[in-house]
């Protein structure tokens, strides 16, 4: 079953260097988060190690590929942050950060409240074709197809007091997501195996009946 994790992204010859303590903790978390019976297999740590190291490499690359943080603020002169482009208005952006449950829950645990917090903002993108008008020289051309882009479903993930802590939390979250994928595959394999065993039992029963009845 440890092969499920190793085959999620395929084989990699070059693997990054991770602290030995981190690898050991990740191996135990992988076993506990998928099938604890793996610990009954002789040498399970050695067998899980390539898959876990590969997964750590992947989540590290994901974390490092994130762009630097963008400050979400509205200046004294009313100039919004570039982040406001993902909202319908600067007011909507301000209200979102003020009312986000994840952010508020995180802030309740901190005393005193830090001046700055880093988190991952995710959202859904929607594109829609509308027909409008545009000026071509001195002529207004109508019924021109135009694509409008909107963003909705904004959410904050893994808020932290600084950028490094936020990236660490995102790596942990991504690793746990890989375990979820592996657990889903393991569960599917076990279900398929049980179905095959039931079919084999049924076929053996039919064979016994046929043999007794010649």
């Amino acid at each position: 079953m440890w092969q499920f994790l190793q085959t999620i992204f395929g084989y990699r010859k070059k693997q990054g260097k991770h602290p030995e303590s981190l690898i050991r903790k990740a191996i135990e978390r992988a076993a506990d988060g998928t099938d604890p019976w793996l610990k009954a297999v002789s040498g399970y740590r050695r067998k899980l190690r390539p898959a876990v190291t590969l997964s750590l490499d992947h989540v590290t690359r994901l974390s490092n590929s994130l762009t630097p943080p963008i400050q979400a603020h509205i200046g004294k002169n009313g100039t919004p942050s570039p982040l406001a482009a993902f909202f319908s208005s600067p007011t909507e952006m301000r209200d979102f950060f003020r009312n986000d449950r994840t952010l508020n829950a995180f802030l309740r645990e901190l005393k005193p409240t830090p001046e700055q917090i880093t988190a991952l903002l995710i959202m859904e993108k929607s594109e829609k074709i509308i027909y409008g008008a545009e000026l071509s020289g001195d002529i207004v051309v109508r019924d021109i197809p135009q694509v409008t882009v909107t963003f909705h479903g904004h959410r904050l993930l893994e808020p932290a007091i600084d950028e490094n802590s936020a990236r660490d939390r995102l790596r942990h979250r991504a690793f746990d997501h890989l375990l979820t994928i592996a657990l889903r595959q393991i569960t599917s394999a076990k279900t398929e195996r049980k179905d095959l065993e039931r079919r084999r039992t049924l076929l053996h029963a039919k064979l016994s009946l046929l043999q007794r009845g010649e």
Side-chain angles (χ1 to χ4, degrees):
M1 294 178 182
W2 46 81
Q3 293 180 351
F4 284 122
L5 271 174
Q6 196 166 359
T7 57
I8 291 175
F9 301 105
Y11 179 72
R12 300 283 194 279
K13 288 185 177 181
K14 294 183 179 179
Q15 297 179 341
K17 294 182 179 180
H18 304 283
E20 185 62 28
S21 59
L22 174 62
I23 295 177
R24 288 198 298 266
K25 290 180 180 179
I27 289 174
E28 297 303 319
R29 188 171 184 84
D32 293 334
T34 53
D35 190 347
W37 284 101
L38 289 174
K39 293 185 176 182
V41 178
S42 177
Y44 77 93
R45 292 186 180 89
R46 173 178 53 80
K47 295 176 180 179
L48 276 175
R49 187 183 184 93
V52 168
T53 305
L54 180 64
S55 300
L56 290 175
D57 289 341
H58 180 70
V59 300
T60 300
R61 285 194 298 270
L62 286 179
S63 174
N64 294 340
S65 67
L66 294 175
T67 59
I70 302 175
Q71 289 189 352
H73 68 280
I74 298 178
K76 295 180 180 180
N77 58 354
T79 303
S81 161
L83 199 64
F86 297 102
F87 296 86
S88 61
S89 67
T91 301
E92 184 192 27
M93 180 187 72
R94 181 178 54 199
D95 292 341
F96 165 75
F97 286 105
R98 179 182 299 168
N99 301 321
D100 184 76
R101 293 182 178 180
T102 301
L103 180 59
N104 288 329
F106 177 74
L107 290 175
R108 283 195 296 268
E109 301 295 328
L110 295 179
K111 292 182 180 180
T113 302
E115 296 182 358
Q116 182 172 300
I117 293 173
T118 304
L120 178 66
L121 174 64
I122 64 173
M123 67 202 78
E124 297 181 28
K125 175 184 174 183
S126 298
E127 294 185 1
K128 183 179 179 180
I129 297 178
I130 62 173
Y131 292 89
E134 66 179 25
L135 190 63
S136 177
D138 296 332
I139 302 175
V140 177
V141 181
R142 303 185 183 278
D143 296 331
I144 300 297
Q146 300 173 344
V147 178
T148 61
V149 178
T150 57
F151 299 93
H152 56 90
H154 300 76
R155 285 196 301 150
L156 286 178
L157 299 181
E158 306 300 341
I161 58 176
D162 55 49
E163 180 182 352
N164 290 333
S165 299
R167 290 181 185 271
D168 285 340
R169 292 170 67 94
L170 289 170
R171 282 191 287 268
H172 295 163
R173 186 186 186 97
F175 185 79
D176 284 348
H177 179 67
L178 298 185
L179 297 184
T180 301
I181 296 175
L183 178 59
R184 187 181 300 119
Q185 294 181 349
I186 290 174
T187 302
S188 176
K190 285 186 174 182
T191 301
E192 182 179 359
R193 179 178 178 179
K194 289 181 179 179
D195 290 341
L196 291 174
E197 290 177 349
R198 284 194 292 267
R199 291 180 60 186
R200 183 178 64 179
T201 301
L202 178 60
L203 290 175
H204 277 302
K206 287 184 177 181
L207 178 60
S208 297
L209 288 173
L210 289 174
Q211 289 176 340
R212 288 199 299 269
E214 297 183 352

